[in-house]
Amino acid sequence: MNNVALVCPTHDPNGDNLDLIRKHGGQIQTIYKDIFITISDESDTRIAQELEAWGIHTRIIPKKGSAHARREVVRFGLEGDNDFFHYCDWDRLLTWIDSYRDELSRVVNGELPNHDYLILGRTEKAFHTHPVGWIMTENITNTLFSLELGKEADVTAGSCGFSRRSAELILQHSKDMMTDVEWPMIIHRIGKMNVDYAAVDGLEYREEINADTKQAYK
């Protein structure tokens, strides 16, 4: 078993993800050594109950925006003894394991432990499953970010992997409202560590799961 922990925030006031949690809770546990999930205080109480039934570490946090939720789940994860972390928006993780379980396992076990910071972006196929409005705006962000980093990367997919050292550096310096770009820049500029990139199919868009992602924490 690797020493990678999954860290995810979720805001699910209607319990929309309950069926997928019940379907995949056991499979997710086989991929990660530990799982830490922060749940907004406006979420359906069944979400915490279902996750805890699987033995997943949970913590209720106030709904204060996506950046706050992301920083809090990294803070929560650092309470464990894991050497590496996989951050993923919860709806993205559920989409990934529902359709591309083998790819997820390969990335977690074969890729994440080899990088200080690994941006996980989308293949062309996965990127073009998204709504046109998302594609247009995210293309602009990704282009500007890639120019700054010096390598092409899709940084707006809601997933990345990083070492414990990187997690501590992120918590020390992260202040912005948009963490997709901020976190790798902290590692690149302040930490002077490598920021690498991998594209996956599993971060595709599925209307029934991912449609509310942009509004989830506002």
Side-chain angles (χ1 to χ4, degrees):
M1 171 64 73
N2 61 48
N3 197 19
V4 179
L6 174 66
V7 288
C8 296
T10 185
H11 170 67
D12 190 353
N14 300 316
D16 294 331
N17 291 326
L18 275 170
D19 287 343
L20 282 174
I21 294 170
R22 289 165 179 158
K23 180 180 179 181
H24 295 300
Q27 293 182 26
I28 295 172
Q29 286 183 306
T30 67
I31 296 175
Y32 301 93
K33 184 175 182 292
D34 291 300
I35 303 170
F36 299 87
I37 299 182
T38 53
I39 306 167
S40 79
D41 56 2
E42 297 181 11
S43 292
D44 189 313
T45 57
R46 293 175 297 170
I47 296 295
Q49 293 168 2
E50 190 65 33
L51 292 170
E52 289 165 3
W54 285 107
I56 292 170
H57 304 294
T58 65
R59 176 169 293 170
I60 307 299
I61 63 170
K63 180 175 175 287
K64 293 184 178 180
S66 61
H68 173 264
R70 288 178 172 187
R71 284 189 280 268
E72 285 303 300
V73 82
V74 173
R75 192 184 316 278
F76 188 25
L78 280 170
E79 293 179 11
D81 61 358
N82 305 93
D83 296 323
F84 293 91
F85 300 90
H86 177 203
Y87 172 85
C88 198
D89 293 339
W90 184 232
D91 66 296
R92 292 286 195 181
L93 193 281
L94 292 173
T95 303
W96 200 343
I97 198 166
D98 195 51
S99 299
Y100 297 93
R101 183 192 182 282
D102 290 344
E103 179 189 66
L104 176 61
S105 181
R106 174 181 57 77
V107 168
V108 172
N109 289 283
E111 290 288 336
L112 295 190
N114 300 320
H115 303 273
D116 289 312
Y117 195 99
L118 180 67
I119 300 167
L120 292 166
R122 295 157 288 193
T123 61
E124 284 294 315
K125 171 187 171 184
F127 192 72
H128 287 285
T129 62
H130 291 68
V132 173
W134 292 25
I135 292 172
M136 292 176 64
T137 56
E138 291 180 9
N139 262 329
I140 295 170
T141 300
N142 288 332
T143 297
L144 294 173
F145 174 80
S146 297
L147 289 171
E148 182 67 24
L149 186 65
K151 66 177 73 174
E152 188 172 346
D154 167 25
V155 75
T156 54
S159 188
C160 56
F162 41 82
S163 66
R164 189 175 191 88
R165 178 187 173 197
S166 294
E168 291 168 346
L169 200 63
I170 286 167
L171 277 189
Q172 183 180 353
H173 295 281
S174 179
K175 307 294 182 185
D176 287 354
M177 295 299 294
M178 302 295 292
T179 63
D180 290 314
V181 170
E182 182 199 33
W183 286 5
M185 282 295 101
I186 287 172
I187 304 308
H188 176 63
R189 292 174 174 170
I190 300 175
K192 306 299 182 184
M193 293 183 279
N194 289 333
V195 174
D196 300 308
Y197 178 71
V200 299
D201 289 321
L203 293 171
E204 68 181 10
Y205 175 89
R206 285 170 55 184
E207 180 75 19
E208 70 276 17
I209 303 174
N210 310 118
D212 296 329
T213 301
K214 294 293 185 184
Q215 301 297 324
Y217 293 96
K218 291 182 179 179

